[in-house]
Amino acid sequence: SYVLTQPPSLSVAPGKTARITCGGTNIGGKNVHWYQQKPGQAPLLVISRDSDRPSGVPERFSGSNSGNTATLTITGVEAGDEADFYCQVWDAATDHQVFGGGTKLTVL
Amino acid sequence: QITLKESGPSLVKPTQTLTLTCSFSGFSLYTSGVAVGWIRQPPGKALEWLALIYWDDDKRYNPSLKGRLIVAKDTSKDQVVLTVTNMDPVDTATYYCARYSGYSGSPFDHWGQGTLVTVSS
């Protein structure tokens, strides 16, 4: 089965740039989606299809995908961005959905 | 406005069958390409995809649950039901339903608030 690998944690100072990675074999050929989950809340879609930003998501959130790594980038990190972030893809080989293990973003 | 809401028991005993209902509004499973998925999250752990049911009644299941899942829809009621058999304490989790916004490769673009299910005798 297809596996997505994320770093368990990332710490960033306010105002700096956070880059959260999602690794998978030839992930560049798949559509990658990113979700933000704050404590006690349901996940929220923040990036779809590698780099599309849903309505209402700040422009500080962006995404890229190439080769074996997809990246969610948050510029000008704010305290309110502190959350768990998950990547997700559809694996065409099995026709199943796959989530990464999640990255906990801490704003210092 | 699209909303989804999960309902069902908060506590089940080991070996029992769990039945959860997802009631939604703002979209319809009569619409081509639309689907509803189920995702769960054990306390302090990652999201795990469980099942997906499409507008045309096509279904997909996470094979790791080894045939314990059944998903069904009642399109006229705007509801989707998930059944999980032979529940075990490791199935303790918050269960979410979410809209799958299109054909294969789409995201889960709207989520319910989730419902916590505890498995304990």
Side-chain angles (χ1 to χ4, degrees):
Chain A
S1 61
Y2 194 76
V3 176
L4 295 174
T5 302
Q6 297 182 238
S9 62
L10 178 66
S11 297
V12 176
K16 299 298 186 182
T17 296
R19 294 181 179 86
I20 300 171
T21 59
C22 176
T25 303
N26 296 322
I27 195 174
K30 302 181 185 299
N31 286 326
V32 179
H33 317 297
W34 290 93
Y35 304 88
Q36 177 189 49
Q37 186 180 33
K38 296 182 178 179
Q41 297 185 16
L44 173 72
L45 179 68
V46 292
I47 292 290
S48 69
R49 296 182 175 85
D50 298 341
S51 59
D52 291 341
R53 200 172 45 250
S55 174
V57 175
E59 292 183 8
R60 302 183 296 103
F61 288 79
S62 63
S64 62
N65 184 19
S66 178
N68 294 317
T69 304
T71 303
L72 172 68
T73 301
I74 310 170
T75 57
V77 166
E78 302 173 356
D81 297 332
E82 195 163 276
D84 294 325
F85 290 85
Y86 294 91
C87 57
Q88 177 243 324
V89 302
W90 170 66
D91 179 25
T94 58
D95 198 4
H96 293 149
Q97 309 296 325
V98 181
F99 284 93
T103 298
K104 181 177 182 60
L105 175 65
T106 299
V107 181
L108 300 172
Chain B
Q1 181 189 5
I2 292 173
T3 64
L4 303 96
K5 187 173 184 179
E6 306 84 355
S7 60
S10 58
L11 179 66
V12 298
K13 291 180 167 51
T15 76
Q16 286 187 337
T17 294
L18 170 68
T19 300
L20 295 173
T21 300
C22 175
S23 302
F24 56 87
S25 64
F27 68 96
S28 173
L29 277 172
Y30 285 116
T31 304
S32 177
V34 175
V36 171
W38 286 93
I39 302 101
R40 72 179 181 181
Q41 184 174 39
K45 296 189 177 181
L47 301 170
E48 178 185 29
W49 170 71
L50 299 178
L52 194 63
I53 185 165
Y54 289 88
W55 84 102
D56 61 357
D57 210 34
D58 198 8
K59 300 160 189 172
R60 296 291 183 270
Y61 296 105
N62 187 328
S64 69
L65 275 85
K66 300 176 184 176
R68 297 172 52 215
L69 301 175
I70 299 173
V71 64
K73 62 183 177 68
D74 187 332
T75 307
S76 65
K77 292 184 178 178
D78 289 339
Q79 290 182 334
V80 170
V81 175
L82 177 73
T83 301
V84 186
T85 61
N86 194 24
M87 291 288 283
D88 182 271
V90 300
D91 296 312
T92 294
T94 297
Y95 287 75
Y96 296 98
C97 63
R99 190 184 80 151
Y100 190 65
S101 66
Y103 294 88
S104 299
S106 295
F108 294 100
D109 63 351
H110 291 82
W111 294 61
Q113 64 190 25
T115 185
L116 176 61
V117 178
T118 302
V119 184
S120 175
S121 54

